[in-house]
Amino acid sequence: MKRVIITGCTGFIGRSLINELESEKLTIIGYSSKDGNITEKNTWLKMPKANYLIHLAAMTFIPKSWDDPKKFIDTNTIALLNAIEYCKKYKSKLIYLSTFVYGNKNIPIDENSELNPQNPYALSKLLGENICSFYKKVDNLDVIILRPFNIFGNGQNNLFLIPSLISQIKNEEKITVMDINPKRDYLYIKDLVDAIKKSLFYKGNSYIFNIGSGLSYSVIEVIEIIQKICETNLDIECTNKVRRMELDDTVANIELAKRELKWEPKYSLPKALKEMLKVNS
């Protein structure tokens, strides 16, 4: 039976991924911060040989990346370099989760669009992509880079938009948001997990894929969908705080993933929100 190591296994994505992969006849080995510091080589020396390494462990919360960009960049790149050394040692396939690393030109945005990270977290992920591409070229590293757009789902921290909105609406509070206008391509966690599963067994030549829904919704549209599902009509307060380097709109072109990975999202935003709210009810 083939082995899969998942770093960051107790995080939002990691927990959902383990639940799904357990049905795939794979031996799943999860690593989290309690198992050691992923920036230290000794942590990796303890890991057994595996066929696949899904590298999720990283510092991720964008606002905090502005507070300490050096820590984000150092942690995320050093951990990745250790992951690559592990994969080179055992000839393991690496699945690297990147993020949205673009500006908002040429919507919908394909993988060849201009790379223009909008925050230190995205910068750390783009540096990671460059490291992966370098070792793919010089050492024939077997790597897949996934660029998920705005992920959401049950188990996500309430600091993120959709969990925050659900919490406010279900508690029948006044809905408070910073800005109702920005539009985002929201990707349900179950669709991301499906893309990761398909990338494990992909044998083609492409290796960088956008993973999104191909549609975008504004904050006010998301609020309206949740209120409709919950049958509420709560007041909305907008603090009119614009985030640094904010983008007006993001939409993923996912044609490459459809063609090569044979993947496409199964959940619309309303369908995913209904499922989340059913679980949370």
Side-chain angles (χ1 to χ4, degrees):
M1 188 177 289
K2 292 191 174 182
R3 284 178 171 177
V4 180
I5 286 181
I6 302 173
T7 66
C9 68
T10 58
F12 167 51
I13 299 171
R15 293 192 305 272
S16 298
L17 185 60
I18 285 176
N19 289 339
E20 279 296 315
L21 288 183
E22 284 175 345
S23 64
E24 292 293 316
K25 296 183 179 178
L26 296 165
T27 300
I28 312 299
I29 305 167
Y31 279 83
S32 67
S33 56
K34 68 179 179 62
D35 299 303
N37 187 336
I38 56 169
T39 65
E40 296 176 359
K41 288 191 175 182
N42 284 342
T43 300
W44 294 87
L45 292 174
K46 299 172 189 173
M47 295 186 190
K49 181 178 180 180
N51 305 90
Y52 309 98
L53 171 63
I54 304 174
H55 185 52
L56 305 177
M59 298 186 71
T60 60
F61 190 52
I62 290 172
K64 287 186 178 179
S65 76
W66 286 111
D67 297 334
D68 196 349
K70 183 179 185 299
K71 187 174 182 180
F72 266 70
I73 291 168
D74 286 352
T75 299
N76 291 352
T77 54
I78 292 169
L80 174 61
L81 283 165
N82 286 336
I84 289 172
E85 285 300 313
Y86 171 91
C87 290
K88 287 164 58 179
K89 177 180 178 181
Y90 291 119
K91 294 182 170 48
S92 310
K93 182 172 185 175
L94 173 64
I95 310 298
Y96 175 64
L97 245 68
S98 184
T99 190
F100 181 88
V101 290
Y102 309 102
N104 64 346
K105 295 179 180 178
N106 306 320
I107 288 177
I109 302 161
D110 66 25
E111 289 84 354
N112 295 316
S113 297
E114 178 185 359
L115 303 180
N116 184 20
Q118 301 296 302
N119 52 72
Y121 164 64
L123 175 60
S124 76
K125 286 295 188 176
L126 181 56
L127 290 170
E129 287 193 17
N130 290 338
I131 291 168
C132 288
S133 295
F134 174 80
Y135 283 102
K136 180 176 178 62
K137 180 175 68 175
V138 300
D139 286 331
N140 201 29
L141 177 71
D142 188 2
V143 61
I144 297 290
I145 296 169
L146 301 180
R147 291 174 178 164
F149 280 51
N150 283 64
I151 310 162
F152 72 99
N154 280 308
Q156 189 175 31
N157 194 299
N158 276 3
L159 292 171
F160 290 85
L161 176 68
I162 288 179
S164 172
L165 292 175
I166 288 175
S167 176
Q168 292 180 69
I169 291 168
K170 287 184 73 66
N171 290 321
E172 296 187 357
E173 302 170 359
K174 177 175 63 178
I175 301 165
T176 303
V177 293
M178 292 172 58
D179 188 351
I180 61 172
N181 296 310
K183 300 180 71 175
R184 293 291 181 267
D185 184 326
Y186 291 101
L187 174 70
Y188 192 38
I189 183 65
K190 289 189 176 181
D191 283 324
L192 173 60
V193 165
D194 188 44
I196 294 171
K197 284 167 58 178
K198 286 187 164 61
S199 67
L200 282 175
F201 309 112
Y202 173 65
K203 300 293 186 183
N205 294 321
S206 299
Y207 73 101
I208 299 177
F209 299 97
N210 283 344
I211 305 297
S213 72
L215 298 169
S216 68
Y217 292 84
S218 67
V219 173
I220 190 63
E221 287 173 324
V222 176
I223 293 171
E224 288 169 352
I225 293 169
I226 300 173
Q227 293 234 67
K228 183 177 180 181
I229 296 168
C230 292
E231 298 181 342
T232 57
N233 188 27
L234 301 173
D235 292 336
I236 301 167
E237 178 184 327
C238 181
T239 60
N240 293 314
K241 292 181 181 178
V242 179
R243 292 198 309 179
R244 193 173 177 183
M245 302 283 284
E246 183 69 280
L247 297 175
D248 295 331
D249 196 4
T250 64
V251 183
N253 180 323
I254 54 175
E255 292 306 312
L256 185 64
K258 286 181 178 180
R259 184 173 70 248
E260 293 292 318
L261 296 180
K262 310 303 180 191
W263 171 89
E264 60 183 302
K266 296 172 183 169
Y267 286 84
S268 66
L269 180 62
K271 179 182 177 182
L273 290 171
K274 284 179 183 176
E275 183 169 289
M276 286 183 69
L277 287 158
K278 185 177 180 181
V279 170
N280 284 318
S281 59

